[in-house]
Amino acid sequence: MNILVVGGGGREHAIAESLSKSPLTTKLVVAPGNPGIETFAECYPIAADDIPGQCQLAREIKADFVFIGPEIPLVLGLKDELLKLGINAFGPSKNAAKLEGSKTFSRNFCQRHNIPQPEFKYCTDIATARKQIELLNGYCVVKADGLAAGKGVVVCDTVDQALIASTEMLEKNKFGNAGKSILIEERINGIEASVFAVSDGETAILIGTAQDHKRAYDNDQGPNTGGMGAVSPAPALNQNLIEEIFKNIIIPTINGMKLEGYSYEGVLYAGVMITNKGPKVIEFNCRFGDPETQVILPRLNTDLVDIIQKTISKSLKDVTIDFIPQNAITIVIASNGYPEEFDKGVLLPSFKKFDDETEISVFHSGTSRDKSGNLVSNGGRVLSITSIGNNIEECRQKAYSVVRAINWKQGFYRKDIGKV
Ligand code: AMP
Ligand code: GLY
C-alpha cells in the first residue's frame, strides 16, 4: 500500500511509526513530516493546510489512502477534495468535521440527539454574554466557537474573569473569526477522560482511551495548552463506563450524523467529564489527539493499516481491536514560555541514544533542522517521550529518566503526568 500521512507533529510521528510497522505498507510518505519521521519515511515540505498541494502529492505517489492527522485540513475539506480525485482518505468529510470545527454545531447537535452535555448559551454580543455569566455567578466556561488551536477555552470562577474572556473574544478579536461567536457553558465537575472510537459511518469501535493533562504546570495550574502529557488507558474509566459512553454518546453521535446526512468516517475523539450524573460531552474532536496518540497507538495490538482499510471499505463490523495489557505514558517537553510567547530555532541536545531503547519512543512534536543540519525547536511542544510499562508508576520512572537525561535547559515539562 502507498500511504500519505498529512501533518508533522508528535501525533503524526506516532501514526507514521505505527503504519511503518505494518506488513501491508509498501511506501510511506509524510507531508510536511519532521526530522524524526524523516528517519524512516519520505517527507515533503507541503503544509498540512495546503489542500491543493496535498492532493497533488497524493496523486503523484499513487496513494491508496491518505491519513489526515490534524483538524485543520479535515475542517477545510481535504477528504472531500481527495475523493473527487478518486483517492481514499481516513478522516471525516468537511461536513462531518463540523463536530470539532464549530462548537455551536456540536452543542446543538448533541441537544437534537439527547446526548448528555453541559447547559450552554450561544452569544454574539457582550450584553447576552453578560446576562448568562451573571446567571451562572461567573462559574462558567467561555469558548470561542471556531478552531483556536486548543486555546479558545477559558474556565472561569468569577464574573469578572468570564467578562474579560468574552470581551477579548467578541470585541478584541483575540481569536479572529473563531471568536466572533462564543458559548457560555455551565461549568461541570468530575474526572475527565478521552475516548477514541473509529467509525465507518455505521459501526463504531473503541481504539483507545487516555487521560490528557491540558494545563501548562504541575497540579493543573497555569493556562490550557494543547496537552502536556497523557496516559493510556484512562485511569478514570472502567468497562462499564466505556460501555455507557458508547451507548449514550458515541453511538448516538454516529447514528445522528448519519441521520443528518453527514456519515462520520474516521476517528471520533470524545472528551468526557465523568460527573455524578454520568458521563457528559465536554468536546468532540474529529481526529486523534496530540499527545494522546503517542500513548494510544503504542498499545494497539491490531494492525492499524487493516483498521483503516476496513473503515474505508465500511466493513468495521468484522473487526476486533486488541490492546497490549501494559500501560503507556507520554511526557511533553515544551519551549519555555509556551503556550504564550516562546523562541523557535533553539538548539536541542542529542537524544539519539534513546532511539534504540525498547519501550521508549522519542516523538518529535515541533522540531526542524537549521542551515547547518542541527536539530532545533520549531514549536511550543517540542518532544514527547513515551514509555510502556506494567503499571503507571513504572512508566513514569522510565519516561522521566529519559526526560531528565535529555535535560533541555530552554524547555520545561510537567513532573506530575500520570500521578494519582
Ligand atoms: P476543550 O478545549 O473544549 O477540551 O476544553 C479545555 C478544557 O476546559 C477541558 O479539558 C476541561 O477541563 C475544561 N472544560 C471545557 N468545557 C467545560 C465545562 N463545560 N465544564 C467544565 N470544564 C470544562
Ligand atoms: N490533546 C488535546 C487534543 O489533541 O485536542
Side-chain angles (χ1 to χ4, degrees), residues 148-214:
K151 294 178 202 153
V153 174
V154 186
V155 179
C156 305
D157 291 303
T158 65
V159 169
D160 278 355
Q161 271 178 343
L163 277 177
I164 291 170
S166 310
T167 310
E168 280 179 347
M169 292 184 199
L170 287 172
E171 295 186 345
K172 297 195 177 150
N173 216 21
K174 182 152 185 196
F175 300 111
N177 278 341
K180 284 276 166 276
S181 52
I182 62 170
L183 296 177
I184 307 289
E185 291 187 358
E186 165 201 12
R187 183 171 160 190
I188 54 174
N189 297 303
I191 304 178
E192 278 182 66
S194 304
V195 176
F196 295 85
V198 58
S199 174
D200 59 5
E202 304 277 339
T203 304
I205 354 181
L206 183 74
I207 194 167
T209 67
Q211 188 193 354
D212 187 12
H213 293 69
K214 282 191 203 275

Side-chain angles (χ1 to χ4, degrees), residues 212 214 226-227 269 285 287 289-292:
D212 187 12
K214 282 191 203 275
Y269 159 171
N285 293 315
R287 45 149 182 106
D290 192 342
E292 293 94 323

Side-chain angles (χ1 to χ4, degrees), residues 38-109:
E38 247 166 38
T39 59
F40 62 90
E42 276 176 60
C43 293
Y44 288 85
I46 296 168
D49 60 357
D50 176 355
I51 306 298
Q54 293 287 355
C55 286
Q56 196 187 332
L57 180 61
R59 206 154 48 173
E60 274 168 20
I61 69 155
K62 299 192 169 50
D64 291 292
F65 68 82
V66 178
F67 190 125
I68 308 170
E71 60 275 22
I72 293 180
L74 288 163
V75 169
L76 291 175
L78 177 55
K79 171 167 187 165
D80 310 60
E81 294 308 310
L82 287 164
L83 284 181
K84 284 183 201 158
L85 300 173
I87 301 170
N88 285 317
F90 181 68
S93 65
K94 183 176 184 168
N95 279 331
K98 278 205 286 192
L99 268 188
E100 172 165 4
S102 166
K103 291 194 194 289
T104 309
F105 172 84
S106 167
R107 286 291 182 226
N108 287 329
F109 171 87

Side-chain angles (χ1 to χ4, degrees), residues 129-367:
R130 177 188 287 273
K131 220 165 136 189
Q132 190 64 14
I133 289 166
E134 284 172 353
L135 200 73
L136 296 167
N137 281 326
Y139 194 77
C140 65
V141 183
V142 179
K143 295 189 176 181
D145 187 15
L147 292 181
K151 294 178 202 153
V153 174
V154 186
V155 179
C156 305
D157 291 303
T158 65
V159 169
D160 278 355
Q161 271 178 343
L163 277 177
I164 291 170
S166 310
T167 310
E168 280 179 347
M169 292 184 199
L170 287 172
E171 295 186 345
K172 297 195 177 150
N173 216 21
K174 182 152 185 196
F175 300 111
N177 278 341
K180 284 276 166 276
S181 52
I182 62 170
L183 296 177
I184 307 289
E185 291 187 358
E186 165 201 12
R187 183 171 160 190
I188 54 174
N189 297 303
I191 304 178
E192 278 182 66
S194 304
V195 176
F196 295 85
V198 58
S199 174
D200 59 5
E202 304 277 339
T203 304
I205 354 181
L206 183 74
I207 194 167
T209 67
Q211 188 193 354
D212 187 12
H213 293 69
K214 282 191 203 275
R215 297 295 190 99
Y217 314 129
D218 284 12
N219 302 315
D220 289 333
Q221 302 296 307
N224 261 321
T225 69
M228 293 297 292
V231 295
S232 179
L237 297 178
N238 55 32
Q239 197 52 36
N240 284 345
L241 277 169
I242 293 174
E243 278 167 23
E244 195 178 339
I245 291 166
F246 264 70
K247 180 167 157 268
N248 296 340
I249 296 173
I250 305 283
I251 308 280
T253 301
I254 300 301
N255 290 344
M257 290 300 274
K258 187 178 163 202
L259 203 71
E260 296 194 10
Y262 313 129
S263 174
Y264 193 97
E265 294 152 31
V267 171
L268 178 66
Y269 159 171
V272 297
M273 184 81 85
I274 315 297
T275 72
N276 54 16
K277 292 190 187 124
K280 295 188 177 182
V281 178
I282 294 186
E283 61 163 354
F284 280 126
N285 293 315
C286 61
R287 45 149 182 106
F288 272 125
D290 192 342
E292 293 94 323
T293 310
Q294 292 91 304
V295 286
I296 298 278
L297 295 184
R299 293 193 64 247
L300 263 195
N301 211 7
T302 302
D303 188 334
L304 183 59
V305 176
D306 190 42
I307 297 171
I308 294 167
Q309 280 184 302
K310 297 279 171 35
T311 306
I312 289 168
S313 62
K314 294 190 180 288
S315 43
L316 267 183
K317 63 177 187 319
D318 305 328
V319 173
T320 323
I321 297 185
D322 290 321
F323 305 95
I324 59 167
Q326 286 95 334
N327 298 68
I329 196 169
T330 196
I331 321 285
V332 170
I333 305 181
S335 304
N336 283 343
Y338 174 76
E340 310 297 338
E341 298 291 300
F342 54 86
D343 292 334
K344 284 189 185 176
V346 181
L347 194 67
L348 293 168
S350 170
F351 45 82
K352 248 188 151 66
K353 62 175 181 239
F354 304 113
D355 287 350
D356 297 330
E357 278 189 40
T358 49
E359 304 192 324
I360 291 284
S361 305
V362 179
F363 294 113
H364 292 229
S365 303
T367 69

